[in-house]
Amino acid sequence: MNNVRTSGPLPVPPQVAEASAQGIISHRSDAFRALLPEVLDGLRPFFGTRAPILPFTCSGTGGMEAAVVNCLAPGDRVLAVSAGHFGDRFAEVARCYGADVTVHQVPWGTAPTAADVAEALRAAGPVRAVLLTHNETSTGVLAPLRELCVAIRESSDALILVDGVSSVGAARFDMDDWGVDVAVTVTQKALMAQPGLSLIATSRRALRVAHEGGQRRYYFDFPRMAAAVEEGTTTYTPAVAVLQGLRAAVGMLRAEGPERVFERHRAAAGTLRQSLLELGMTPAADAWCASPTVTAVHLPDGVGASGVRRALEREHGILVASGRSAWKENTVRIGHMGAFHAAEIEDTVAALGRVLGTTAFPRREVQAPGGHA
């Protein structure tokens, strides 16, 4: 069996696979009305919220689109803070629906700071919403979300919409305390379940905005889904088997305890980063903002990510991801989220050293989009 070290989808624990295979139930049945609130209530400590959590059957990008169509109208002014490929994507989704988007671009490999965001808000003027990416998997960066939210709230009443796709369930996320209005995550990453659901926590303010305005939508309607969830069901047919597996996954996470889950991810990230440095490799992210779920690492000059990925898979049964955008061929990304063992991380580093044929090599300088190193 392959050692899957990508940024998702990821292998699920046997208990989750078994729960998903127990047989389909109707989403209008009493069994489902018992299942859904158990799952959503179990997720609250990982979102850090008492707000409604809405399950939409779609990818994380679908969840981002749902946030946009419910909270923004054409012409609304938006500040998108981007530190990589997925921050850019959030901005693109808003722009697709007619928002007037100003992008504050942070150099790849580092995270926005509170001072950055405060200055960007001053420059942008009044905005309807700020789009943030908590964990940028293209560069392996975790943003200081609490500090960013404080900076926004000090000068603006803008809605705060957050991509938490690869952070919720692996890093602290205190939605209510930090003043986040919408937080989007998915099942197939830190939550240890199969792909198929986007889970969207929505503040009461966000629900009010969606009820009063936003865009025309049908499937991705927050108020209708919130009303259905209140009744123990969903607006339309959900990925029932994924929810059944997610119940088992959430039970495992709750049994482990949020703090131990977060520490497990931090420890794996730190061990991997140190091992890469000892090999002479350059992690892409600045140390102060290194992600607990994905590590991006620059390859030596002249070495292509596609070839490294193929060799790791064929020779060692290890799957890693290549970089994104301008980093596609000079960077590989190693995932350490959800259900994993320390030995899998150690095996990945050892195999990477063997594929590259050396235990130490010169570090490369990699240019990010826009010319930032």
Side-chain angles (χ1 to χ4, degrees):
M1 183 176 180
N2 284 327
N3 176 4
V4 182
R5 296 296 101 223
T6 66
S7 57
L10 298 165
V12 301
Q15 301 95 310
V16 175
E18 291 167 8
S20 297
Q22 63 185 299
I24 295 298
I25 59 175
S26 168
H27 61 296
R28 305 302 185 211
S29 67
D30 289 342
F32 187 86
R33 292 176 192 276
L35 165 69
L36 186 64
E38 179 184 344
V39 171
L40 300 183
D41 286 345
L43 288 170
R44 295 193 184 284
F46 298 97
F47 276 103
T49 190
R50 298 180 62 83
I53 300 173
L54 311 181
F56 285 93
T57 297
C58 63
S59 67
T61 303
M64 294 158 67
E65 185 161 328
V68 166
V69 299
N70 280 272
C71 295
L72 299 175
D76 279 350
R77 301 188 66 250
V78 173
L79 175 66
V81 180
S82 176
H85 177 84
F86 293 99
D88 291 347
R89 178 178 293 183
F90 211 170
E92 289 170 7
V93 173
R95 193 174 288 118
C96 176
Y97 281 92
D100 179 5
V101 181
T102 297
V103 177
H104 175 68
Q105 192 74 55
V106 178
W108 282 39
T110 194
T113 66
D116 290 333
V117 171
E119 177 56 34
L121 274 172
R122 282 193 292 271
V127 295
R128 177 61 161 167
V130 179
L131 311 183
L132 300 173
T133 304
H134 189 198
N135 190 75
E136 179 56 71
T137 59
S138 68
T139 59
V141 162
L142 183 75
L145 185 57
R146 176 185 177 279
E147 289 81 357
L148 302 187
C149 291
V150 168
I152 293 165
R153 289 284 173 251
E154 285 178 346
S155 62
S156 174
D157 65 351
L159 292 162
I160 300 177
L161 313 183
V162 179
D163 167 1
V165 165
S166 58
S167 63
V168 172
R172 181 176 300 282
F173 199 110
D174 288 330
M175 176 175 170
D176 292 351
D177 288 348
W178 297 348
V180 173
D181 289 291
V182 177
V184 178
T185 198
V186 293
T187 46
Q188 74 270 19
K189 295 183 184 280
L191 295 182
M192 306 195 307
Q194 295 91 339
L197 289 171
S198 183
L199 302 152
I200 309 174
T202 54
S203 71
R204 295 295 177 184
R205 182 168 76 137
L207 281 176
R208 184 174 67 252
V209 168
H211 182 76
E212 295 172 353
Q215 313 236 10
R216 295 181 64 184
R217 69 262 174 189
Y218 191 83
Y219 182 80
F220 287 124
D221 188 78
F222 280 1
R224 279 196 291 173
M225 181 62 88
V229 167
E230 282 277 335
E231 298 176 0
T233 187
T234 55
T235 46
Y236 308 105
T237 306
V240 174
V242 178
L243 274 168
Q244 291 171 313
L246 183 59
R247 173 164 57 184
V250 169
M252 295 173 68
L253 291 168
R254 293 292 297 271
E256 185 177 358
E259 293 304 325
R260 288 190 293 274
V261 171
F262 303 155
E263 177 54 33
R264 173 165 58 85
H265 283 84
R266 284 194 298 267
T271 298
L272 174 58
R273 187 177 182 88
Q274 183 59 39
S275 298
L276 292 168
L277 289 168
E278 289 171 0
L279 279 179
M281 300 190 73
T282 308
D286 290 343
W288 71 271
C289 57
S291 165
T293 62
V294 178
T295 296
V297 58
H298 298 319
L299 296 170
D301 287 327
V303 177
S306 296
V308 169
R309 290 180 64 231
R310 284 193 297 269
L312 284 170
E313 182 176 5
R314 292 173 183 172
E315 298 170 18
H316 302 280
I318 296 172
L319 302 179
V320 300
S322 60
R324 301 302 298 254
S325 302
W327 283 9
K328 184 174 179 61
E329 271 302 303
N330 56 36
T331 304
V332 295
R333 296 178 296 141
I334 302 169
H336 33 85
M337 75 176 94
F340 62 86
H341 299 287
E344 294 171 322
I345 308 301
E346 295 165 3
D347 290 347
T348 300
V349 177
L352 184 58
R354 289 195 291 272
V355 164
L356 294 169
T358 182
T359 57
F361 30 77
R363 302 179 186 180
R364 72 187 298 167
E365 292 297 324
V366 179
Q367 293 295 311
H372 300 294

